[in-house]
Structures are given as structure tokens and as C-alpha cells.
Amino acid sequence: MFADVILPLPLPDLFTYAVPAEMQDKIGIGFRVIIPFGRRKYYTAIVKAIHWDAPENIEVKEIHSLIDSHAVVNEQQLTLWEWISFYYLSPPGDVYKAALPSPMKPEDLLSKFTPKTETFIQINPSLDASSVTGLLGRAKKQQLLMDEIIHYFTEKKCERVSKKEISGLSNYSPSVLNGLLQKKILLAHSIETGRINSGIIPTREPYPLNEHQQKALIELNNCFKDKQISLLHGVTSSGKTEIYIHLIQQFLAVGAQTLYLLPEIALTTQLTQRLQAVFGDKIGIYHSRINENERTEIWQKMLSENPYKIILGVRSSLFLPFRKLGLVIVDEEHETSYKQQEPAPRYHARDAAIMLAHFHNAKTVLGSATPSLESYYNAQTGKYGLVTLTERFNGVMMPRIQLENTRDLRRKKKMKSLLAPALIEEINAALENEEQVILFRNRRGFAPLIECSQCAWTPRCSRCDVTLTYHKKGNKLVCHYCNSHYRLPTECPSCLEKSLKPLGLGTEQLEEEVSLLFPGTVVARMDMDSTRGKDAYERIINDFQEKRIQILVGTQMLSKGLDFDNVRVVGIISADSLLNYPDFRSHERGFQLMTQAAGRSGRNTRQGIVIIQSADPAQAVYSYVSRNDYELFFETQLSERKLFNYPPFCRLIRIVLKHKEERKAEAASSLLADILKKTLHERLLGPNKPIVSRIQLYHIREILLKLENGLSPHKVRDIMKKAESSLRSNPEFKYVTLYYDVDPL
Ligand code: ADP
Ligand code: ZN
Ligand code: ZN
């Protein structure tokens, strides 16, 4: 008997091993095995197939040992891995590595994952209040502790907490807790943490939907009859999330699981609270701030007889083992963070989730106030169902959007700070009214550039082809590509003058200036730098929600789907920077970002105010944003895409080549382009030197393929694989790094 296995290595193929006789009735597809590979190494591999066809002409090694007594990866997962590996041109081993939490694929081996157990405390459910009082008798300390525990359980709305948490409650000696346990007022269980329910009790029924939401829900259900995928296009704050909650409940009622995907961890905080209030501990949370052991526990629970019914998570959660997946929700489906950039597999989680749903025969709902052009096109052409919501919940008006021409204002000497006078005025009015403010700027740090005012010298990264950003905190220069830190020189290294000046504006500077403009208000910042700590997002979001912060400054991180009920004013500072980069999607991104940012204001009762600061407000995209006209924006973009042949009218594949020697990167990319051109002809563009042409010491060249939608993906992949091996057969290019980015964003 033989087994084809997937190794956790970037190899193009599966490997075949012999199954020892005593293992033959125990092994199965989706089991983990330990196999020897290379000279002396052992790896954890996944069984993909079992058969009796002895491979010819090669010596087959034996499987060393079997880890599992049941499959840890199910059939649909393996099919999904295969699709991702094929479609995104990534080795199967890379997909496997991305999918499984690391404790499940140990490399030092023979050390298996051992589940953590934890002691949980519960109030004995068979005792009523009076019998508790009776049992407590006159034990004062026990009474006090019991009071605290009851209070704690009520606060947390749960029926069981870990012993650790109780120990943290107050100063009592362990003997007091033991006393309560001996009297059986409290019960202790030692539970494998992966298998437990957290004990969170749902606190409410879903809110009843209003008539628009109700109608949308009915329409979605109608779409489900003949469409597997539907797009819910609802303006910001139309109550899409509440519709999802009703849908989940509907699927739950027939025993089906839901996968709820979000583009960013920052969003999970609020969503977790909203979903747990209705679904309690039926919901599992899965994202990168969850440590690898917890991920393993969630995986194991998904394999158990009592899996989570709902998984809320970012893109990696689509790799979990679902038993009976009925519904996939891709919230904020237009977000580019759904695309994995580094490392491989460079998959788009929305598209992979659609495939996952397909393999489970489940329904998919894509939701957004600003759908991606691709999805909206699919909806318009009938491939997806389309449901539209145009009213904000509660009849709140869409925000009023006002453009401020900063070039004019500067010329008239009216820009006394980074904020236009109109924005300052609106902020003051909001603050007076105890309302809140959000300000966006899509650059972090203090200043994107340092320049010598004498000789125009600017500091650059020694490893990348980019200028460095100045961070005032720590007084350092940072490369935003490789994260190298440099000291800020006191004088210009070129002309030796003390004449280095920061140029441009980052969130750090905006925060500082806003604090000075509005003394006595609490200003906070949310960007990659301020959210590194484990609970940093939660703290900022909660503080803002609880109004301990009045003005929140941040990058696009802040624009995505957050729901604050007291934000009156949103300011978008230097909006032009969103549009001025050379990419066919820049206007789409700019439209989405501004519309989403605007959508954070006036979500409750009063109309919100959005001020967009631009030096060039005549650009058409601003008028679509201010009139909230998605359809018209879509039409104009679509005709441009058609004219210049861009997605959705074709598919793109970006081929990236890297080498430390520029000459080799250049030569390899030319050769590869020549080989590919023989079959792909004018479909190939390049090779090009990208704008940032060196990162982390590697010189980069790119080739772009524009492929007609009808072209067979199998043929294309064949052509590319052949071209790659032909390139590799030249010893000079054996170690050139080469990867594919399919549907690049
Ligand atoms: P969207 O996801 O479309 O931006 P949300 O679902 O976040 O909108 O809804 C906006 C706000 O309105 C939220 O605070 C939400 O709790 C509230 N809301 C929406 N629908 C209802 C409803 N049917 N009943 C009560 N509150 C609702
Ligand atoms: Zn760098
Ligand atoms: Zn100088």
C-alpha cells in the first residue's frame, strides 16, 4: 500500500511513501504521518491519497509513524487546498503550511500536541439561594468570596469561569475557595480547554428587522433558490450586520455552520460582542492575535462532535475543518486586505471562501457598501444575486459631504494648520455638543520624508529603494518596507549643515497638531504603530466607544466597518494621496475609502458631516463620493476598464523575480519574458522595474500577464510551469526567486 503525502515544503509535487503492513488498516486520507525526507530529516505530512500503484523507477521510503487515529483534515479541505495550489500557482506544501496551526505540524517531531487542561469553577446548579446561605453558615470569608463570585458571574453573563480568573478576584487565601468546593457550593471541573464551551450565555434575541432589512432578507432567500452567491449592496449603517445575524440564525436552525469572514482583526472586537450577545458560545473566534495553541484547540473542537456553529475570523479561518458548512459571509468584501501578499499562497480569501462554499454546497453572501468592481459586475451580469439597501437604519440621513480646496485656502492664506477652517469649525461644534470626531490620514509616522533644506539630501533605506519615514516617538527613521530602524542624524551627512527638515504629514504629526488645536480634549491615534500590543485595538476601540476619547486620528484601519454611535464629524486629510498612485484601481480604492470613512459618521440620529480636504477637488471621483453615487461611479470605471482591458474584462497574473544581483534579476526576467512571449504573445507586458525596485537587498523585476477570461487556466498554468523549468535549467538562474501573484491587487 502506498500513500501520496503533502510535505510542509515548497515542492511542486506530492511524494509517495510505502505504508507499513501494520499501519494499513489504521491509516486514512487526511491523517498526519511522520515521514523521512532528505538525508536525515523527518517531517509531519498529510495523507492526500492511498493506493496500490507502486511508483516506477524510484526507491520508495516507508512512513515512519502515524500521528492520528482520525482525519484532522477533511475531504472538502483537501479539495480547497488543491484548488488554491492550482489557481494561485503555489506549491501544495505552502498551502498546507498556511492552513494548519504550527503545533499541529511539529518539525522537531515526535512531540505531539498535548491539549491544555484548565480548572473551571461553576456554582452548583442544584442549590438554590437559601441552601447556599445554609451551607455558608457563619464562615464570613466564604460569604464574602461567594458574594464576589456571584457578582462576577452576573457581570460576565456566564455560568462558568476558570479558577485562574477567580484567583484574580480579590485577596483571599486558597483555603477559602477550597472550603466552598468542599461544601459543594462551587463545583470544579478540569476540562481540556479546546473542548469546552466558554460558558457565555446569549443575552438577547436578534433585533427585529425593519421593513427594508426584512425585504432584503426575503430577497436574499429568494436569490438562494437559484444562485449560490449573492451580493448585499447596502449603504453604510443600513444594518447589514443585523441581516447577517438573522441569516446565521436561519442556518443554525437547520444545523448548518456559518463562516463569517472579516478583512481585519480591528473589526473582530466589535463583531465578537455583537454576535456573542445573540449566539453566546456557539461562536469561535480565529485570527492572528490568537496564539498557535489556541488555534490548535479551535481546530480540534471543529473536528469534535460538538464543533463551533459559527466561526468569526480573518482570512486564515477559511482553512478550519467545517463539518456542515451552510453559509459563508464575506463582510466588507471589497477590502484588499483579503488578499494575502506574503508569504505564498497569495490567495484572495473572498474568492477562496466562495470555492470553500462551493465544495460544501453552501451559500455565500458578499456584503459591502462599496462593492469591488469585480463583484458588482458579477452581480450585474447575473452570475451573483444582487440585493440592495439604500436606507440607513433608523431613517438617519446619509452624511453631508463637503469638499475643501486646500490649494485655494493656502493661496488665500487661510490654512493656518493642517486642518481647513471649516473642519476646525465643525470639530468645535461637535465637541461642544459632546459628539466625537474621526480624522483620517493614510500615512503613519510623523513625516513621510526628511530633507536637507540646503542640499536636498534625503535619508534612504540601505536595504530597499525607498526613502525613510520619520517617527518622532523614539526620534528614529523607519523603513516601511523592511522595518529597519535608523538614527536621525543631527546634521546632514552630505553638506554637514544642521538643516534636516521633516516634509509631509503622517498620523503622528496629525495627532500632535490636533491636540494643540483642541486643548483639553482627549486625542488618540489608531494605526499600525499604536496597535502592536495584544489588546491595543480593543483598548482604543472601547475607549472611543465609551467616549473616553473625543478625537480619534488614524489610517485606513479606522475606516473599515466600525460602528460608533456618537461620531458627528469625519475629516479626510489630504485625500488626493489616495488617488495619486499609478494603478488602475487607485480611483476605485479612493472611492471606497472615502465612502467608508464617511460612513463612520452620523450613524445614530443626527446627520453626519464629512469634510474632504483636497488640492484638486475637481476630480470626478470626488463628485461621486459626495453624491454617494456608487452606480454612476461603477459605470464610468467599468467603461474605462473595458477600454484599457483590465479586470473584470481580463485576468491578471503578476510574475515577480528577485535576486541580490540586479544583473541577474534583469537577465532572468528578460529570458522568462522571451520564453513566455512565444506562446502568450501580446498578452505579456514587461519585464518592468517596479516603483520600489529593491526590497530587503533584493532587486525586483515584474512581468504582467493579461489573460482573456475565456482562456483555459490549465493551459496557462502549463505554459508557465514549462517556462519556469526552462528558465531554471539555466544554472545561472537556478537561485533566482520567482513567484506568481494571481489576481494581484
Ligand atoms: P452596516 O453593517 O450596514 O454598516 P450595522 O448592522 O452596523 O450597519 O447597523 C448600524 C447600526 O444600527 C448598528 O448600531 C446596529 O446595531 C443598528 N441596527 C441595525 N439594524 C437594527 C435593527 N433591526 N434593530 C436595532 N438596531 C439595529
Ligand atoms: Zn528597507
Ligand atoms: Zn545637506
Side-chain angles (χ1 to χ4, degrees):
M1 183 189 269
F2 299 93
D4 299 340
V5 305
I6 309 172
L7 285 165
L9 296 169
L11 303 164
D13 299 306
L14 303 185
F15 281 77
T16 304
Y17 285 81
V19 182
E22 73 280 5
M23 211 184 275
Q24 294 187 354
D25 58 348
K26 299 193 187 83
I27 197 170
I29 291 172
F31 286 48
R32 287 171 302 167
V33 288
I34 292 172
I35 46 93
F37 186 81
R39 284 243 249 124
R40 233 183 299 166
K41 278 212 129 173
Y42 286 85
Y43 289 97
T44 307
I46 303 274
V47 177
K48 177 79 193 292
I50 292 172
H51 56 85
W52 295 90
D53 310 326
E56 284 167 24
N57 309 327
I58 36 169
E59 187 208 339
V60 178
K61 291 184 189 165
E62 263 198 355
I63 292 176
H64 173 279
S65 49
L66 185 63
I67 299 184
D68 300 308
S69 55
H70 56 88
V72 295
V73 179
N74 65 33
E75 205 180 304
Q76 287 95 343
Q77 286 175 289
L78 287 172
T79 318
L80 180 71
W81 293 10
E82 197 174 337
W83 178 81
I84 290 178
S85 167
F86 168 78
Y87 186 81
Y88 292 102
L89 288 145
S90 304
D94 280 345
V95 183
Y96 157 37
K97 276 206 297 198
L100 246 70
S102 51
M104 290 183 74
K105 40 176 200 249
E107 294 206 8
D108 56 350
L109 282 181
L110 319 167
S111 78
K112 246 202 216 170
F113 165 74
T114 41
K116 256 198 321 210
T117 62
E118 205 176 339
T119 306
F120 278 77
I121 304 283
Q122 179 185 7
I123 300 172
N124 188 340
S126 57
L127 296 177
D128 57 21
S130 67
S131 28
V132 171
T133 318
L135 282 167
L136 282 171
R138 284 190 222 192
K140 256 260 135 26
K141 285 184 179 163
Q142 288 184 6
Q143 282 173 17
L144 284 174
L145 178 61
M146 203 49 211
D147 280 350
E148 262 202 75
I149 290 177
I150 291 172
H151 182 71
Y152 189 68
F153 276 63
T154 328
E155 283 256 292
K156 278 203 63 171
K157 304 196 180 70
C158 59
E159 50 191 14
R160 191 196 285 143
V161 300
S162 72
K163 194 171 172 184
K164 253 198 305 213
E165 268 177 82
I166 295 218
S167 321
L169 275 186
S170 69
N171 303 322
Y172 65 91
S173 71
S175 65
V176 182
L177 182 62
N178 284 338
L180 292 171
L181 287 166
Q182 265 160 24
K183 289 183 179 170
K184 297 233 161 29
I185 298 174
L186 295 180
L187 305 176
H189 315 265
S190 169
I191 312 178
E192 213 179 275
T193 23
R195 306 280 163 158
I196 53 126
N197 291 324
S198 53
I200 304 161
I201 306 165
T203 50
R204 60 170 177 86
E205 286 290 304
Y207 295 130
L209 299 178
N210 70 17
E211 54 173 321
H212 305 289
Q213 290 170 316
Q214 190 64 43
K215 188 161 155 283
L217 182 63
I218 292 170
E219 285 176 16
L220 278 171
N221 275 308
N222 276 335
C223 288
F224 287 163
K225 286 182 194 146
D226 61 347
K227 298 259 159 64
Q228 289 297 89
I229 306 161
S230 292
L231 175 64
L232 177 59
H233 177 207
V235 296
T236 53
S237 204
S238 53
K240 296 184 287 298
T241 315
E242 295 302 325
I243 297 177
Y244 302 145
I245 290 173
H246 281 253
L247 271 179
I248 295 170
Q249 204 181 37
Q250 205 179 295
F251 280 83
L252 197 59
V254 294
Q257 291 170 300
T258 296
L259 168 63
Y260 191 136
L261 280 181
L262 287 167
E264 283 222 24
I265 307 176
L267 290 180
T268 53
T269 306
Q270 284 195 339
L271 246 305
T272 302
Q273 290 165 5
R274 279 173 83 173
L275 295 188
Q276 275 179 344
V278 180
F279 300 112
D281 60 13
K282 290 192 180 66
I283 169 162
I285 319 289
Y286 199 76
H287 56 64
S288 59
R289 294 267 163 116
I290 297 203
N291 73 40
E292 292 282 336
N293 279 328
E294 287 170 294
R295 283 168 164 250
T296 306
E297 284 155 12
I298 292 176
W299 192 291
Q300 300 287 3
K301 183 170 163 73
M302 291 302 278
L303 290 172
S304 74
E305 288 305 311
N306 178 28
Y308 287 114
K309 297 295 185 299
I310 304 152
I311 288 287
L312 175 68
V314 296
R315 55 178 183 244
S316 57
S317 54
L318 65 90
F319 288 116
L320 282 167
F322 292 91
R323 301 184 130 227
K324 194 182 168 198
L325 185 63
L327 175 67
V328 173
I329 295 165
V330 185
D331 202 0
E332 311 293 346
E333 68 86 30
H334 63 280
E335 279 293 341
T336 48
S337 36
Y338 274 127
K339 181 83 198 286
Q340 168 136 329
Q341 303 292 351
E342 195 69 43
R346 294 175 177 80
Y347 64 102
H348 197 303
R350 174 195 62 213
D351 301 343
I354 287 174
M355 291 312 288
L356 173 73
H358 171 71
F359 298 137
H360 279 270
N361 200 17
K363 304 293 179 193
T364 304
V365 177
L366 310 177
S368 176
T370 52
S372 66
L373 242 67
E374 285 83 352
S375 296
Y376 201 71
Y377 180 72
N378 281 332
Q380 281 212 325
T381 50
K383 190 168 163 195
Y384 300 169
L386 176 62
V387 176
T388 308
L389 267 169
T390 53
E391 306 288 321
R392 285 192 140 186
F393 181 74
N394 246 345
V396 181
M397 281 204 274
M398 292 303 288
R400 174 166 68 77
I401 297 178
Q402 182 178 327
L403 281 152
E404 285 297 313
N405 186 332
T406 49
R407 181 177 298 154
D408 266 9
L409 290 166
R410 284 219 168 81
R411 209 180 41 226
K412 294 180 190 151
K413 305 232 176 315
K414 286 190 178 152
M415 282 294 279
K416 301 233 160 52
S417 71
L418 301 169
L419 309 187
L423 179 53
I424 296 180
E425 207 171 290
E426 294 295 356
I427 294 176
N428 274 324
L431 293 176
E432 221 152 86
N433 231 345
E434 298 192 351
E435 291 165 316
Q436 291 163 297
V437 176
I438 291 180
L439 299 175
F440 291 91
R441 168 66 181 134
N442 66 333
R443 293 296 286 268
R444 62 192 172 91
F446 189 83
L449 197 67
I450 292 280
E451 196 180 79
C452 171
S453 53
Q454 297 295 321
C455 73
W457 175 87
T458 61
R460 302 181 76 84
C461 181
S462 62
R463 301 161 57 83
C464 313
D465 179 24
V466 290
T467 53
L468 298 171
T469 300
Y470 174 56
H471 287 246
K472 196 164 186 178
K473 186 168 179 237
N475 194 34
K476 63 196 174 192
L477 297 167
V478 180
C479 171
H480 284 183
Y481 282 80
C482 71
N483 204 31
S484 296
H485 290 203
Y486 300 80
R487 231 165 31 86
L488 177 71
T490 45
E491 54 196 40
C492 171
S494 168
C495 68
L496 306 179
E497 294 288 326
K498 282 195 168 35
S499 49
L500 295 178
K501 298 269 155 17
L503 284 183
L505 166 70
T507 44
E508 207 185 2
Q509 189 179 157
L510 185 60
E511 181 191 17
E512 192 180 285
E513 172 136 349
V514 167
S515 304
L516 291 173
L517 277 172
F518 306 98
T521 42
V522 183
V523 181
R525 172 164 55 92
M526 188 157 123
D527 58 24
M528 244 167 73
D529 301 310
S530 70
T531 52
R532 288 196 204 275
K534 190 169 189 292
D535 304 320
Y537 290 114
E538 259 161 7
R539 247 194 347 261
I540 300 174
I541 290 172
N542 282 336
D543 282 353
F544 195 58
Q545 204 158 300
E546 309 283 329
K547 308 185 178 53
R548 287 188 288 271
I549 297 169
Q550 278 95 49
I551 304 180
L552 191 53
V553 170
T555 52
Q556 38 263 61
M557 190 183 270
L558 247 184
S559 70
K560 300 171 183 179
L562 289 166
D563 181 37
F564 301 113
D565 62 9
N566 190 43
V567 176
R568 180 80 198 289
V569 178
V570 164
I572 303 174
I573 316 298
S574 23
D576 308 322
S577 63
L578 302 170
L579 309 170
N580 296 344
Y581 62 94
D583 182 280
F584 70 94
R585 284 197 178 88
S586 65
H587 280 228
E588 182 187 356
R589 298 281 166 266
F591 178 89
Q592 286 163 340
L593 203 128
M594 286 187 268
T595 305
Q596 291 289 346
R600 300 315 111 207
S601 75
R603 291 174 73 87
N604 196 14
T605 45
R606 248 167 37 105
Q607 188 186 25
I609 295 157
V610 181
I611 304 238
I612 300 179
Q613 297 191 179
S614 159
D616 184 15
Q619 295 200 65
V621 58
Y622 290 121
S623 80
Y624 301 126
V625 171
S626 49
R627 283 179 290 142
N628 191 37
D629 198 340
Y630 177 85
E631 270 77 17
L632 198 57
F633 172 73
F634 170 81
E635 292 303 333
T636 56
Q637 281 291 303
L638 199 71
S639 54
E640 278 186 30
R641 299 276 181 97
K642 184 150 201 177
L643 190 63
F644 298 108
N645 189 28
Y646 275 112
F649 299 101
C650 69
R651 288 179 181 281
L652 302 179
I653 299 182
R654 198 163 58 102
I655 308 176
V656 181
L657 295 108
K658 294 187 187 182
H659 201 275
K660 282 192 179 168
E661 288 174 53
E662 182 159 23
R663 187 183 56 83
K664 278 204 179 170
E666 183 81 41
S669 57
S670 305
L671 178 58
L672 186 66
D674 287 344
I675 301 170
L676 284 168
K677 260 194 189 138
K678 284 186 193 135
T679 30
L680 294 174
H681 309 289
E682 76 290 356
R683 296 182 186 93
L684 182 145
L685 305 176
N688 292 322
K689 195 171 164 173
I691 300 177
V692 177
S693 65
R694 192 174 61 126
I695 297 176
Q696 301 209 17
L697 300 176
Y698 280 83
H699 292 271
I700 308 166
R701 291 295 180 274
E702 292 181 351
I703 295 170
L704 189 68
L705 305 183
K706 272 187 171 181
L707 307 165
E708 314 79 297
N709 289 337
L711 221 55
S712 146
H714 290 272
K715 269 199 195 133
V716 174
R717 273 144 191 82
D718 240 29
I719 292 169
M720 294 174 70
K721 292 285 170 185
K722 281 195 186 122
E724 183 179 345
S725 49
S726 161
L727 175 80
R728 296 274 187 225
S729 67
N730 183 334
E732 190 170 356
F733 302 132
K734 205 163 169 208
Y735 298 109
V736 171
T737 306
L738 190 164
Y739 69 78
Y740 305 97
D741 189 359
V742 178
D743 303 336
L745 289 181

